[in-house]
């Protein structure tokens, strides 16, 4: 009888110990902070729920010039020249090139002429054993607005303006610009991409397919953007070749600097 009591007590103690251990672990994990969501996830959530949480900003007070020919292949869109709010490229298509998995459906689009030339460029790179991947192409005014408002809410209007484009002023809204990277997706839209062989190939060859590096090194005072070796813009072969040969920017081509 004594034996039974002792065994029962041991069992109870062991069981109690296990329960205490399990509960303390659960408690710990519930106290752990959830990792911050990347901006795009948050943005998409906002889009799905409602826009009421996004602070409104009166963009008309920014006195930007609205471009006259938003459909033009050589349109100049920058921090001073914006696309009309109602602008939607009519000839968006999906270029048959590889994209990073995380690229949304909208981002995989470009205007038709730019898309055809992008396919040719990626194929030519492949022949040189350079494997390019699309990161982000077209972005609608609405998406840019949601993105910008997210940054305003997080960091305030003035700070947001230093790193994010006002709705209507992102070149991605033209459907003529795309961010590209290498096969493995490392350094996508990051400074370290500039040191990759893919960046060198693009710098040497993009103009042959009508693309320019829109924000070259050392031209920040002119373009308003720091060097972005990954952001290419379609302007047509003739114009791209001239810009490349002269070592100028689109702003300088238009005599704005
Ligand atoms: Zn870009």
């Amino acid at each position: 009888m004594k034996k039974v009591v002792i065994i029962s007590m041991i069992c109870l103690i062991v069981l109690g110990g296990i329960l205490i251990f399990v509960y303390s672990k659960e408690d710990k994990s519930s106290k752990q902070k959830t990792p911050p969501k990347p901006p795009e996830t948050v943005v998409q959530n906002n889009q799905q729920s409602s826009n009421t949480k996004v602070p409104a900003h009166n963009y008309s007070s920014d006195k930007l010039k609205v471009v006259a020919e938003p459909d033009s292949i050589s349109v100049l869109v920058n921090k001073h020249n914006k696309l009309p709010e109602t602008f939607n490229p009519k000839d968006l298509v999906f270029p048959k090139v590889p994209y990073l998995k995380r690229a949304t459906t909208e981002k995989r689009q470009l205007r038709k002429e730019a898309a055809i030339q992008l396919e040719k460029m990626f194929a030519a790179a492949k022949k040189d054993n350079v494997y390019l991947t699309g990161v982000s192409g077209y972005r609608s005014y609405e998406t840019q607005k949601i993105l910008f408002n997210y940054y305003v809410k997080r960091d305030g209007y003035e700070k947001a303006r230093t790193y994010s484009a006002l709705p209507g002023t992102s070149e991605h809204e033209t459907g003529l610009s795309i961010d590209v990277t290498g096969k493995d997706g490392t350094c996508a839209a990051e400074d370290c991409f500039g040191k990759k062989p893919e960046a060198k190939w693009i710098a040497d060859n993009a103009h042959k397919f009508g693309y320019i590096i829109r924000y070259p090194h050392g031209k920040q005072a002119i373009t308003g953007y720091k060097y972005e070796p990954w952001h290419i813009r379609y302007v047509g072969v003739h114009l791209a070749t001239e810009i490349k040969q002269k070592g100028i920017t689109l702003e300088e081509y238009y005599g704005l600097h």
Side-chain angles (χ1 to χ4, degrees):
M1 190 62 189
K2 261 188 181 177
K3 261 187 183 176
V4 175
V5 172
I6 290 167
I7 290 168
S8 304
M9 278 177 73
I10 290 170
C11 283
L12 277 171
I13 290 164
V14 170
L15 193 68
I18 291 170
L19 282 172
I20 288 166
F21 177 74
V22 168
Y23 276 110
S24 68
K25 222 179 172 190
E26 271 185 7
D27 190 40
K28 250 186 207 170
S29 63
S30 69
K31 275 177 190 165
Q32 272 170 0
K33 276 184 185 173
T34 44
K37 287 177 183 175
E40 283 187 340
T41 318
V42 177
V43 167
Q44 279 168 1
N45 286 346
N46 280 349
Q47 198 172 18
Q48 277 160 9
S49 55
S50 72
N51 288 335
T52 49
K53 288 175 191 167
V54 179
H57 178 80
N58 182 11
Y59 301 115
S60 58
S61 65
D62 291 302
K63 291 200 175 68
L64 296 172
K65 208 174 137 193
V66 178
V67 300
E69 292 178 55
D71 281 315
S72 167
I73 290 294
S74 54
V75 64
L76 178 72
V77 173
N78 59 18
K79 290 183 175 175
H80 311 288
N81 297 275
K82 65 176 277 187
L83 291 162
E85 273 183 45
T86 51
F87 177 69
N88 279 310
K90 297 286 176 288
D91 55 352
L92 289 172
V93 296
F94 293 95
K96 294 180 193 74
V97 297
Y99 277 90
L100 290 188
K101 272 186 191 166
R102 63 178 153 97
T104 59
T105 308
E106 181 180 270
K107 286 178 178 181
R108 291 169 189 249
Q109 300 172 96
L110 277 183
R111 287 186 60 191
K112 197 171 181 185
E113 191 177 326
I116 291 168
Q117 291 300 99
L118 188 80
E119 288 169 2
K120 286 182 187 170
M121 186 168 81
F122 275 38
K126 206 172 169 181
K127 278 186 185 163
D128 291 343
N129 292 317
V130 172
Y131 298 91
L132 300 174
T133 308
V135 179
S136 180
Y138 172 66
R139 191 182 302 155
S140 68
Y141 183 96
E142 203 47 42
T143 300
Q144 185 62 29
K145 193 172 159 186
I146 290 165
L147 190 67
F148 186 78
N149 282 340
Y150 165 77
Y151 291 131
V152 169
K153 197 178 173 188
R154 193 183 69 180
D155 292 334
Y157 179 76
E158 289 307 323
K159 195 174 175 199
R161 276 211 69 172
T162 63
Y163 63 84
S164 181
L166 275 172
T169 71
S170 167
E171 228 193 21
H172 286 277
E173 293 172 49
T174 63
L176 298 168
S177 286
I178 180 165
D179 298 332
V180 294
T181 189
K183 194 171 154 184
D184 58 5
T186 55
C187 293
E190 286 177 41
D191 292 345
C192 55
F193 179 68
K195 292 192 173 71
K196 298 235 168 204
E198 291 89 349
K200 184 173 181 348
W201 192 94
I202 290 167
D204 291 343
N205 298 286
H207 66 284
K208 297 173 193 165
F209 305 91
Y211 280 91
I212 56 168
I213 292 177
R214 181 66 178 88
Y215 309 119
H217 187 68
K219 300 274 189 177
Q220 188 172 351
I222 297 168
T223 62
Y225 288 90
K226 66 181 176 67
Y227 179 39
E228 288 193 4
W230 60 84
H231 178 110
I232 54 172
R233 156 71 194 275
Y234 184 74
V235 291
V237 174
H238 183 78
L239 182 50
T241 305
E242 186 178 337
I243 285 174
K244 159 85 175 161
Q245 282 170 352
K246 289 182 177 169
I248 57 172
T249 60
L250 197 56
E251 280 80 7
E252 288 165 291
Y253 171 77
Y254 282 114
L256 295 173
H257 280 270

